[in-house]
Amino acid sequence: MAGELQGIVSSAKRDKTITVSIASRETHPLYRKQYTKTRKYTAHDEKNEAGVGDKVLIEACRPISKTKSYKLVKVLEKSHGTVELKDEVLGQTEQVEGEEK
């Protein structure tokens, strides 16, 4: 369908609004070097169902606000999240590795 884009949610902090980043690979016409171009779109998320890192499908619609002209169609894949270790845990693992050597 025309006007559909697939990307990854980079921000979901605003109410009923998500920011979707879409990366594409392009080749420079003269130097033939490939580079990545990232575009950001603001989309309407009525139920606040998308989170950061989710793969989503958005489609063009009438302008909802000054920057929002897309709406969320569906969440294709939920994010698995990231694991952040505390400094205490990192310090303990370094001590254990040092004792073994």
Side-chain angles (χ1 to χ4, degrees):
M1 181 178 237
E4 285 190 343
L5 301 171
Q6 183 175 337
I8 296 176
V9 177
S10 58
S11 175
K13 293 180 180 179
R14 295 180 282 175
D15 187 34
K16 297 185 180 182
T17 304
I18 56 173
T19 303
V20 181
S21 296
I22 299 174
S24 61
R25 300 280 292 170
E26 294 185 6
T27 304
H28 193 276
L30 178 62
Y31 301 116
R32 303 289 181 219
K33 174 86 173 177
Q34 284 194 343
Y35 58 95
T36 304
K37 186 179 275 190
T38 305
R39 293 180 181 89
K40 287 187 177 182
Y41 296 95
T42 307
H44 185 67
D45 182 8
E46 183 65 36
K47 299 174 187 170
N48 288 325
E49 57 187 298
V52 176
D54 293 352
K55 194 174 197 178
V56 295
L57 183 68
I58 59 174
E59 74 174 348
C61 64
R62 64 175 179 80
I64 297 171
S65 70
K66 179 181 175 181
T67 58
K68 283 199 287 189
S69 294
Y70 287 87
K71 65 179 178 180
L72 177 69
V73 176
K74 64 179 174 179
V75 178
L76 300 174
E77 185 178 328
K78 293 295 274 183
S79 172
H80 299 293
T82 58
V83 177
E84 294 184 22
L85 298 176
K86 295 183 180 178
D87 292 334
E88 300 166 356
V89 176
L90 291 174
Q92 291 174 358
T93 56
E94 290 174 3
Q95 291 175 358
V96 172
E97 291 174 0
E99 291 173 3
E100 292 175 358
K101 291 183 180 179

